Amino acid sequence: MHSTEQTMNPVTDQQVRHDLDDTRLLIEHAKGISTDEWARVRVPGHEVAAWEGPEESVAVVLERTVFAKEVWLAAIEGTDFPAVDRQPTPAALLERHDAVAGRWLATVRDIDRRGGWDDLIIDALCEPPESFVLSSIVAHVLTYSGHRRLLVRSWLRGTGLDLDDGDPINWLRRELDEHRDTPTGGDR
């Protein structure tokens, strides 16, 4: 998923598109590691979110990054809990990401277009059902996805892959086709 169309608040638009593009990039890079490295436990017992359980491998962390969008879309749309492979290959996970990315972006853009940020949904997928404000769902997804992406980036570097920092500034520069010699984070 690679989109340059801007139809909502620029900050929200950039955050959502960067998350989608960066997740895709990380999954693409993960296709280059061995099956053992994909599934290897990096930090035993590591949890990103207590209710999700352990996220100890590149495979699980990236799967949860994609799954979060799948399950929240199901909650927003009022559909069934997604039946997904919780132990996919990188190629299969990339297919899932590509399937959900456009729907997630369209949903967030629709929320913004109609000013629905404060709307409540009843998430019938929870036991018992819970209510959530749409803006909090988007903030939740972006927060946990950002953490997971930085974690995976570090773990992938540990396999010898050469990855950028995942900086949204550099991502936007590439989106705008700006070529700069100075990366962010240096002297300004």
Side-chain angles (χ1 to χ4, degrees), residues 12-33:
T12 305
D13 185 70
Q14 289 173 24
Q15 287 179 324
V16 172
R17 289 187 307 115
H18 173 254
D19 172 53
L20 294 171
D21 287 352
D22 197 45
T23 300
R24 187 176 210 294
L25 175 77
L26 290 170
I27 298 169
E28 281 285 355
H29 280 291
K31 288 168 55 178
I33 62 175

mmCIF file with all atom_site columns, all heavy atoms in Angstrom, residues 12-33:
data_model
loop_
_atom_site.group_PDB
_atom_site.id
_atom_site.type_symbol
_atom_site.label_atom_id
_atom_site.label_alt_id
_atom_site.label_comp_id
_atom_site.label_asym_id
_atom_site.label_entity_id
_atom_site.label_seq_id
_atom_site.pdbx_PDB_ins_code
_atom_site.Cartn_x
_atom_site.Cartn_y
_atom_site.Cartn_z
_atom_site.occupancy
_atom_site.B_iso_or_equiv
_atom_site.pdbx_formal_charge
_atom_site.auth_seq_id
_atom_site.auth_comp_id
_atom_site.auth_asym_id
_atom_site.auth_atom_id
_atom_site.pdbx_PDB_model_num
ATOM 1   N N   . THR A 1 12 ? -2.591 13.584  10.862 1.00 0.00 ? 12 THR A N   1
ATOM 2   C CA  . THR A 1 12 ? -3.228 12.267  10.956 1.00 0.00 ? 12 THR A CA  1
ATOM 3   C C   . THR A 1 12 ? -2.959 11.464  9.699  1.00 0.00 ? 12 THR A C   1
ATOM 4   O O   . THR A 1 12 ? -2.607 10.279  9.766  1.00 0.00 ? 12 THR A O   1
ATOM 5   C CB  . THR A 1 12 ? -4.747 12.414  11.175 1.00 0.00 ? 12 THR A CB  1
ATOM 6   O OG1 . THR A 1 12 ? -4.974 13.237  12.320 1.00 0.00 ? 12 THR A OG1 1
ATOM 7   C CG2 . THR A 1 12 ? -5.402 11.065  11.373 1.00 0.00 ? 12 THR A CG2 1
ATOM 8   N N   . ASP A 1 13 ? -3.113 12.091  8.556  1.00 0.00 ? 13 ASP A N   1
ATOM 9   C CA  . ASP A 1 13 ? -2.873 11.428  7.283  1.00 0.00 ? 13 ASP A CA  1
ATOM 10  C C   . ASP A 1 13 ? -1.452 10.872  7.218  1.00 0.00 ? 13 ASP A C   1
ATOM 11  O O   . ASP A 1 13 ? -1.242 9.717   6.857  1.00 0.00 ? 13 ASP A O   1
ATOM 12  C CB  . ASP A 1 13 ? -3.120 12.409  6.137  1.00 0.00 ? 13 ASP A CB  1
ATOM 13  C CG  . ASP A 1 13 ? -3.006 11.755  4.780  1.00 0.00 ? 13 ASP A CG  1
ATOM 14  O OD1 . ASP A 1 13 ? -3.887 10.938  4.447  1.00 0.00 ? 13 ASP A OD1 1
ATOM 15  O OD2 . ASP A 1 13 ? -2.031 12.059  4.056  1.00 0.00 ? 13 ASP A OD2 1
ATOM 16  N N   . GLN A 1 14 ? -0.475 11.689  7.586  1.00 0.00 ? 14 GLN A N   1
ATOM 17  C CA  . GLN A 1 14 ? 0.914  11.247  7.541  1.00 0.00 ? 14 GLN A CA  1
ATOM 18  C C   . GLN A 1 14 ? 1.175  10.120  8.527  1.00 0.00 ? 14 GLN A C   1
ATOM 19  O O   . GLN A 1 14 ? 1.878  9.155   8.197  1.00 0.00 ? 14 GLN A O   1
ATOM 20  C CB  . GLN A 1 14 ? 1.855  12.413  7.809  1.00 0.00 ? 14 GLN A CB  1
ATOM 21  C CG  . GLN A 1 14 ? 1.911  13.392  6.666  1.00 0.00 ? 14 GLN A CG  1
ATOM 22  C CD  . GLN A 1 14 ? 2.712  14.630  6.998  1.00 0.00 ? 14 GLN A CD  1
ATOM 23  O OE1 . GLN A 1 14 ? 3.570  14.618  7.865  1.00 0.00 ? 14 GLN A OE1 1
ATOM 24  N NE2 . GLN A 1 14 ? 2.418  15.718  6.302  1.00 0.00 ? 14 GLN A NE2 1
ATOM 25  N N   . GLN A 1 15 ? 0.623  10.213  9.718  1.00 0.00 ? 15 GLN A N   1
ATOM 26  C CA  . GLN A 1 15 ? 0.842  9.156   10.706 1.00 0.00 ? 15 GLN A CA  1
ATOM 27  C C   . GLN A 1 15 ? 0.274  7.824   10.230 1.00 0.00 ? 15 GLN A C   1
ATOM 28  O O   . GLN A 1 15 ? 0.929  6.786   10.350 1.00 0.00 ? 15 GLN A O   1
ATOM 29  C CB  . GLN A 1 15 ? 0.219  9.533   12.051 1.00 0.00 ? 15 GLN A CB  1
ATOM 30  C CG  . GLN A 1 15 ? 0.987  10.599  12.788 1.00 0.00 ? 15 GLN A CG  1
ATOM 31  C CD  . GLN A 1 15 ? 0.319  10.943  14.098 1.00 0.00 ? 15 GLN A CD  1
ATOM 32  O OE1 . GLN A 1 15 ? -0.907 10.966  14.211 1.00 0.00 ? 15 GLN A OE1 1
ATOM 33  N NE2 . GLN A 1 15 ? 1.128  11.212  15.103 1.00 0.00 ? 15 GLN A NE2 1
ATOM 34  N N   . VAL A 1 16 ? -0.925 7.851   9.708  1.00 0.00 ? 16 VAL A N   1
ATOM 35  C CA  . VAL A 1 16 ? -1.570 6.610   9.268  1.00 0.00 ? 16 VAL A CA  1
ATOM 36  C C   . VAL A 1 16 ? -0.845 6.045   8.054  1.00 0.00 ? 16 VAL A C   1
ATOM 37  O O   . VAL A 1 16 ? -0.542 4.848   8.007  1.00 0.00 ? 16 VAL A O   1
ATOM 38  C CB  . VAL A 1 16 ? -3.074 6.834   8.983  1.00 0.00 ? 16 VAL A CB  1
ATOM 39  C CG1 . VAL A 1 16 ? -3.703 5.612   8.338  1.00 0.00 ? 16 VAL A CG1 1
ATOM 40  C CG2 . VAL A 1 16 ? -3.801 7.191   10.279 1.00 0.00 ? 16 VAL A CG2 1
ATOM 41  N N   . ARG A 1 17 ? -0.542 6.882   7.068  1.00 0.00 ? 17 ARG A N   1
ATOM 42  C CA  . ARG A 1 17 ? 0.143  6.391   5.875  1.00 0.00 ? 17 ARG A CA  1
ATOM 43  C C   . ARG A 1 17 ? 1.558  5.909   6.190  1.00 0.00 ? 17 ARG A C   1
ATOM 44  O O   . ARG A 1 17 ? 2.011  4.893   5.665  1.00 0.00 ? 17 ARG A O   1
ATOM 45  C CB  . ARG A 1 17 ? 0.160  7.457   4.773  1.00 0.00 ? 17 ARG A CB  1
ATOM 46  C CG  . ARG A 1 17 ? -1.220 7.674   4.165  1.00 0.00 ? 17 ARG A CG  1
ATOM 47  C CD  . ARG A 1 17 ? -1.236 8.609   2.950  1.00 0.00 ? 17 ARG A CD  1
ATOM 48  N NE  . ARG A 1 17 ? -0.609 9.891   3.193  1.00 0.00 ? 17 ARG A NE  1
ATOM 49  C CZ  . ARG A 1 17 ? 0.509  10.314  2.584  1.00 0.00 ? 17 ARG A CZ  1
ATOM 50  N NH1 . ARG A 1 17 ? 1.117  9.566   1.701  1.00 0.00 ? 17 ARG A NH1 1
ATOM 51  N NH2 . ARG A 1 17 ? 1.006  11.495  2.856  1.00 0.00 ? 17 ARG A NH2 1
ATOM 52  N N   . HIS A 1 18 ? 2.267  6.638   7.073  1.00 0.00 ? 18 HIS A N   1
ATOM 53  C CA  . HIS A 1 18 ? 3.616  6.195   7.465  1.00 0.00 ? 18 HIS A CA  1
ATOM 54  C C   . HIS A 1 18 ? 3.543  4.836   8.152  1.00 0.00 ? 18 HIS A C   1
ATOM 55  O O   . HIS A 1 18 ? 4.347  3.946   7.860  1.00 0.00 ? 18 HIS A O   1
ATOM 56  C CB  . HIS A 1 18 ? 4.281  7.222   8.388  1.00 0.00 ? 18 HIS A CB  1
ATOM 57  C CG  . HIS A 1 18 ? 5.583  6.745   8.937  1.00 0.00 ? 18 HIS A CG  1
ATOM 58  N ND1 . HIS A 1 18 ? 5.726  6.338   10.242 1.00 0.00 ? 18 HIS A ND1 1
ATOM 59  C CD2 . HIS A 1 18 ? 6.791  6.570   8.343  1.00 0.00 ? 18 HIS A CD2 1
ATOM 60  C CE1 . HIS A 1 18 ? 6.968  5.951   10.438 1.00 0.00 ? 18 HIS A CE1 1
ATOM 61  N NE2 . HIS A 1 18 ? 7.644  6.085   9.309  1.00 0.00 ? 18 HIS A NE2 1
ATOM 62  N N   . ASP A 1 19 ? 2.585  4.671   9.048  1.00 0.00 ? 19 ASP A N   1
ATOM 63  C CA  . ASP A 1 19 ? 2.425  3.385   9.735  1.00 0.00 ? 19 ASP A CA  1
ATOM 64  C C   . ASP A 1 19 ? 2.213  2.259   8.723  1.00 0.00 ? 19 ASP A C   1
ATOM 65  O O   . ASP A 1 19 ? 2.856  1.205   8.805  1.00 0.00 ? 19 ASP A O   1
ATOM 66  C CB  . ASP A 1 19 ? 1.261  3.455   10.719 1.00 0.00 ? 19 ASP A CB  1
ATOM 67  C CG  . ASP A 1 19 ? 0.916  2.111   11.322 1.00 0.00 ? 19 ASP A CG  1
ATOM 68  O OD1 . ASP A 1 19 ? 1.820  1.448   11.871 1.00 0.00 ? 19 ASP A OD1 1
ATOM 69  O OD2 . ASP A 1 19 ? -0.253 1.705   11.231 1.00 0.00 ? 19 ASP A OD2 1
ATOM 70  N N   . LEU A 1 20 ? 1.332  2.467   7.772  1.00 0.00 ? 20 LEU A N   1
ATOM 71  C CA  . LEU A 1 20 ? 1.042  1.433   6.776  1.00 0.00 ? 20 LEU A CA  1
ATOM 72  C C   . LEU A 1 20 ? 2.260  1.148   5.893  1.00 0.00 ? 20 LEU A C   1
ATOM 73  O O   . LEU A 1 20 ? 2.616  -0.014  5.666  1.00 0.00 ? 20 LEU A O   1
ATOM 74  C CB  . LEU A 1 20 ? -0.156 1.839   5.920  1.00 0.00 ? 20 LEU A CB  1
ATOM 75  C CG  . LEU A 1 20 ? -1.492 1.927   6.659  1.00 0.00 ? 20 LEU A CG  1
ATOM 76  C CD1 . LEU A 1 20 ? -2.555 2.559   5.775  1.00 0.00 ? 20 LEU A CD1 1
ATOM 77  C CD2 . LEU A 1 20 ? -1.928 0.569   7.178  1.00 0.00 ? 20 LEU A CD2 1
ATOM 78  N N   . ASP A 1 21 ? 2.892  2.204   5.401  1.00 0.00 ? 21 ASP A N   1
ATOM 79  C CA  . ASP A 1 21 ? 4.051  2.012   4.532  1.00 0.00 ? 21 ASP A CA  1
ATOM 80  C C   . ASP A 1 21 ? 5.219  1.377   5.286  1.00 0.00 ? 21 ASP A C   1
ATOM 81  O O   . ASP A 1 21 ? 5.913  0.505   4.758  1.00 0.00 ? 21 ASP A O   1
ATOM 82  C CB  . ASP A 1 21 ? 4.494  3.341   3.914  1.00 0.00 ? 21 ASP A CB  1
ATOM 83  C CG  . ASP A 1 21 ? 3.565  3.847   2.823  1.00 0.00 ? 21 ASP A CG  1
ATOM 84  O OD1 . ASP A 1 21 ? 2.632  3.107   2.423  1.00 0.00 ? 21 ASP A OD1 1
ATOM 85  O OD2 . ASP A 1 21 ? 3.766  4.987   2.368  1.00 0.00 ? 21 ASP A OD2 1
ATOM 86  N N   . ASP A 1 22 ? 5.452  1.811   6.529  1.00 0.00 ? 22 ASP A N   1
ATOM 87  C CA  . ASP A 1 22 ? 6.573  1.281   7.297  1.00 0.00 ? 22 ASP A CA  1
ATOM 88  C C   . ASP A 1 22 ? 6.329  -0.177  7.694  1.00 0.00 ? 22 ASP A C   1
ATOM 89  O O   . ASP A 1 22 ? 7.252  -0.988  7.666  1.00 0.00 ? 22 ASP A O   1
ATOM 90  C CB  . ASP A 1 22 ? 6.826  2.141   8.537  1.00 0.00 ? 22 ASP A CB  1
ATOM 91  C CG  . ASP A 1 22 ? 8.194  1.902   9.131  1.00 0.00 ? 22 ASP A CG  1
ATOM 92  O OD1 . ASP A 1 22 ? 9.193  1.838   8.372  1.00 0.00 ? 22 ASP A OD1 1
ATOM 93  O OD2 . ASP A 1 22 ? 8.286  1.774   10.367 1.00 0.00 ? 22 ASP A OD2 1
ATOM 94  N N   . THR A 1 23 ? 5.096  -0.510  8.038  1.00 0.00 ? 23 THR A N   1
ATOM 95  C CA  . THR A 1 23 ? 4.773  -1.902  8.338  1.00 0.00 ? 23 THR A CA  1
ATOM 96  C C   . THR A 1 23 ? 5.045  -2.773  7.121  1.00 0.00 ? 23 THR A C   1
ATOM 97  O O   . THR A 1 23 ? 5.663  -3.839  7.231  1.00 0.00 ? 23 THR A O   1
ATOM 98  C CB  . THR A 1 23 ? 3.302  -2.042  8.789  1.00 0.00 ? 23 THR A CB  1
ATOM 99  O OG1 . THR A 1 23 ? 3.102  -1.258  9.971  1.00 0.00 ? 23 THR A OG1 1
ATOM 100 C CG2 . THR A 1 23 ? 2.938  -3.494  9.064  1.00 0.00 ? 23 THR A CG2 1
ATOM 101 N N   . ARG A 1 24 ? 4.611  -2.310  5.964  1.00 0.00 ? 24 ARG A N   1
ATOM 102 C CA  . ARG A 1 24 ? 4.840  -3.064  4.729  1.00 0.00 ? 24 ARG A CA  1
ATOM 103 C C   . ARG A 1 24 ? 6.337  -3.240  4.476  1.00 0.00 ? 24 ARG A C   1
ATOM 104 O O   . ARG A 1 24 ? 6.810  -4.327  4.139  1.00 0.00 ? 24 ARG A O   1
ATOM 105 C CB  . ARG A 1 24 ? 4.181  -2.375  3.544  1.00 0.00 ? 24 ARG A CB  1
ATOM 106 C CG  . ARG A 1 24 ? 4.261  -3.202  2.281  1.00 0.00 ? 24 ARG A CG  1
ATOM 107 C CD  . ARG A 1 24 ? 3.518  -2.577  1.109  1.00 0.00 ? 24 ARG A CD  1
ATOM 108 N NE  . ARG A 1 24 ? 3.027  -3.595  0.213  1.00 0.00 ? 24 ARG A NE  1
ATOM 109 C CZ  . ARG A 1 24 ? 3.781  -4.405  -0.509 1.00 0.00 ? 24 ARG A CZ  1
ATOM 110 N NH1 . ARG A 1 24 ? 5.095  -4.332  -0.431 1.00 0.00 ? 24 ARG A NH1 1
ATOM 111 N NH2 . ARG A 1 24 ? 3.246  -5.318  -1.298 1.00 0.00 ? 24 ARG A NH2 1
ATOM 112 N N   . LEU A 1 25 ? 7.105  -2.176  4.660  1.00 0.00 ? 25 LEU A N   1
ATOM 113 C CA  . LEU A 1 25 ? 8.552  -2.229  4.467  1.00 0.00 ? 25 LEU A CA  1
ATOM 114 C C   . LEU A 1 25 ? 9.191  -3.264  5.390  1.00 0.00 ? 25 LEU A C   1
ATOM 115 O O   . LEU A 1 25 ? 10.030 -4.059  4.961  1.00 0.00 ? 25 LEU A O   1
ATOM 116 C CB  . LEU A 1 25 ? 9.164  -0.848  4.716  1.00 0.00 ? 25 LEU A CB  1
ATOM 117 C CG  . LEU A 1 25 ? 10.682 -0.781  4.655  1.00 0.00 ? 25 LEU A CG  1
ATOM 118 C CD1 . LEU A 1 25 ? 11.146 -0.785  3.208  1.00 0.00 ? 25 LEU A CD1 1
ATOM 119 C CD2 . LEU A 1 25 ? 11.175 0.463   5.368  1.00 0.00 ? 25 LEU A CD2 1
ATOM 120 N N   . LEU A 1 26 ? 8.781  -3.281  6.643  1.00 0.00 ? 26 LEU A N   1
ATOM 121 C CA  . LEU A 1 26 ? 9.359  -4.228  7.604  1.00 0.00 ? 26 LEU A CA  1
ATOM 122 C C   . LEU A 1 26 ? 9.016  -5.674  7.237  1.00 0.00 ? 26 LEU A C   1
ATOM 123 O O   . LEU A 1 26 ? 9.865  -6.568  7.352  1.00 0.00 ? 26 LEU A O   1
ATOM 124 C CB  . LEU A 1 26 ? 8.898  -3.898  9.022  1.00 0.00 ? 26 LEU A CB  1
ATOM 125 C CG  . LEU A 1 26 ? 9.476  -2.606  9.590  1.00 0.00 ? 26 LEU A CG  1
ATOM 126 C CD1 . LEU A 1 26 ? 8.773  -2.242  10.891 1.00 0.00 ? 26 LEU A CD1 1
ATOM 127 C CD2 . LEU A 1 26 ? 10.986 -2.723  9.787  1.00 0.00 ? 26 LEU A CD2 1
ATOM 128 N N   . ILE A 1 27 ? 7.785  -5.901  6.802  1.00 0.00 ? 27 ILE A N   1
ATOM 129 C CA  . ILE A 1 27 ? 7.410  -7.260  6.389  1.00 0.00 ? 27 ILE A CA  1
ATOM 130 C C   . ILE A 1 27 ? 8.214  -7.663  5.163  1.00 0.00 ? 27 ILE A C   1
ATOM 131 O O   . ILE A 1 27 ? 8.694  -8.801  5.071  1.00 0.00 ? 27 ILE A O   1
ATOM 132 C CB  . ILE A 1 27 ? 5.894  -7.373  6.140  1.00 0.00 ? 27 ILE A CB  1
ATOM 133 C CG1 . ILE A 1 27 ? 5.107  -7.085  7.431  1.00 0.00 ? 27 ILE A CG1 1
ATOM 134 C CG2 . ILE A 1 27 ? 5.547  -8.772  5.622  1.00 0.00 ? 27 ILE A CG2 1
ATOM 135 C CD1 . ILE A 1 27 ? 3.603  -6.917  7.223  1.00 0.00 ? 27 ILE A CD1 1
ATOM 136 N N   . GLU A 1 28 ? 8.379  -6.739  4.231  1.00 0.00 ? 28 GLU A N   1
ATOM 137 C CA  . GLU A 1 28 ? 9.204  -7.025  3.041  1.00 0.00 ? 28 GLU A CA  1
ATOM 138 C C   . GLU A 1 28 ? 10.623 -7.411  3.457  1.00 0.00 ? 28 GLU A C   1
ATOM 139 O O   . GLU A 1 28 ? 11.180 -8.378  2.944  1.00 0.00 ? 28 GLU A O   1
ATOM 140 C CB  . GLU A 1 28 ? 9.252  -5.818  2.101  1.00 0.00 ? 28 GLU A CB  1
ATOM 141 C CG  . GLU A 1 28 ? 8.041  -5.646  1.243  1.00 0.00 ? 28 GLU A CG  1
ATOM 142 C CD  . GLU A 1 28 ? 7.957  -6.638  0.085  1.00 0.00 ? 28 GLU A CD  1
ATOM 143 O OE1 . GLU A 1 28 ? 8.890  -7.441  -0.136 1.00 0.00 ? 28 GLU A OE1 1
ATOM 144 O OE2 . GLU A 1 28 ? 6.932  -6.615  -0.601 1.00 0.00 ? 28 GLU A OE2 1
ATOM 145 N N   . HIS A 1 29 ? 11.213 -6.660  4.384  1.00 0.00 ? 29 HIS A N   1
ATOM 146 C CA  . HIS A 1 29 ? 12.557 -6.984  4.865  1.00 0.00 ? 29 HIS A CA  1
ATOM 147 C C   . HIS A 1 29 ? 12.572 -8.338  5.573  1.00 0.00 ? 29 HIS A C   1
ATOM 148 O O   . HIS A 1 29 ? 13.528 -9.101  5.419  1.00 0.00 ? 29 HIS A O   1
ATOM 149 C CB  . HIS A 1 29 ? 13.087 -5.896  5.793  1.00 0.00 ? 29 HIS A CB  1
ATOM 150 C CG  . HIS A 1 29 ? 13.630 -4.713  5.075  1.00 0.00 ? 29 HIS A CG  1
ATOM 151 N ND1 . HIS A 1 29 ? 14.787 -4.745  4.322  1.00 0.00 ? 29 HIS A ND1 1
ATOM 152 C CD2 . HIS A 1 29 ? 13.172 -3.445  4.972  1.00 0.00 ? 29 HIS A CD2 1
ATOM 153 C CE1 . HIS A 1 29 ? 15.018 -3.561  3.794  1.00 0.00 ? 29 HIS A CE1 1
ATOM 154 N NE2 . HIS A 1 29 ? 14.047 -2.756  4.170  1.00 0.00 ? 29 HIS A NE2 1
ATOM 155 N N   . ALA A 1 30 ? 11.522 -8.633  6.325  1.00 0.00 ? 30 ALA A N   1
ATOM 156 C CA  . ALA A 1 30 ? 11.460 -9.904  7.057  1.00 0.00 ? 30 ALA A CA  1
ATOM 157 C C   . ALA A 1 30 ? 11.426 -11.096 6.106  1.00 0.00 ? 30 ALA A C   1
ATOM 158 O O   . ALA A 1 30 ? 11.835 -12.199 6.478  1.00 0.00 ? 30 ALA A O   1
ATOM 159 C CB  . ALA A 1 30 ? 10.253 -9.920  7.986  1.00 0.00 ? 30 ALA A CB  1
ATOM 160 N N   . LYS A 1 31 ? 10.966 -10.875 4.880  1.00 0.00 ? 31 LYS A N   1
ATOM 161 C CA  . LYS A 1 31 ? 10.987 -11.962 3.892  1.00 0.00 ? 31 LYS A CA  1
ATOM 162 C C   . LYS A 1 31 ? 12.416 -12.397 3.588  1.00 0.00 ? 31 LYS A C   1
ATOM 163 O O   . LYS A 1 31 ? 12.630 -13.511 3.110  1.00 0.00 ? 31 LYS A O   1
ATOM 164 C CB  . LYS A 1 31 ? 10.276 -11.519 2.606  1.00 0.00 ? 31 LYS A CB  1
ATOM 165 C CG  . LYS A 1 31 ? 8.761  -11.418 2.764  1.00 0.00 ? 31 LYS A CG  1
ATOM 166 C CD  . LYS A 1 31 ? 8.069  -10.724 1.618  1.00 0.00 ? 31 LYS A CD  1
ATOM 167 C CE  . LYS A 1 31 ? 8.322  -11.286 0.270  1.00 0.00 ? 31 LYS A CE  1
ATOM 168 N NZ  . LYS A 1 31 ? 7.563  -10.571 -0.789 1.00 0.00 ? 31 LYS A NZ  1
ATOM 169 N N   . GLY A 1 32 ? 13.392 -11.551 3.917  1.00 0.00 ? 32 GLY A N   1
ATOM 170 C CA  . GLY A 1 32 ? 14.788 -11.858 3.643  1.00 0.00 ? 32 GLY A CA  1
ATOM 171 C C   . GLY A 1 32 ? 15.516 -12.580 4.762  1.00 0.00 ? 32 GLY A C   1
ATOM 172 O O   . GLY A 1 32 ? 16.708 -12.866 4.641  1.00 0.00 ? 32 GLY A O   1
ATOM 173 N N   . ILE A 1 33 ? 14.828 -12.865 5.863  1.00 0.00 ? 33 ILE A N   1
ATOM 174 C CA  . ILE A 1 33 ? 15.487 -13.598 6.946  1.00 0.00 ? 33 ILE A CA  1
ATOM 175 C C   . ILE A 1 33 ? 15.033 -15.056 6.917  1.00 0.00 ? 33 ILE A C   1
ATOM 176 O O   . ILE A 1 33 ? 14.017 -15.384 6.315  1.00 0.00 ? 33 ILE A O   1
ATOM 177 C CB  . ILE A 1 33 ? 15.228 -12.957 8.332  1.00 0.00 ? 33 ILE A CB  1
ATOM 178 C CG1 . ILE A 1 33 ? 13.746 -12.965 8.703  1.00 0.00 ? 33 ILE A CG1 1
ATOM 179 C CG2 . ILE A 1 33 ? 15.801 -11.532 8.369  1.00 0.00 ? 33 ILE A CG2 1
ATOM 180 C CD1 . ILE A 1 33 ? 13.436 -12.451 10.112 1.00 0.00 ? 33 ILE A CD1 1
#
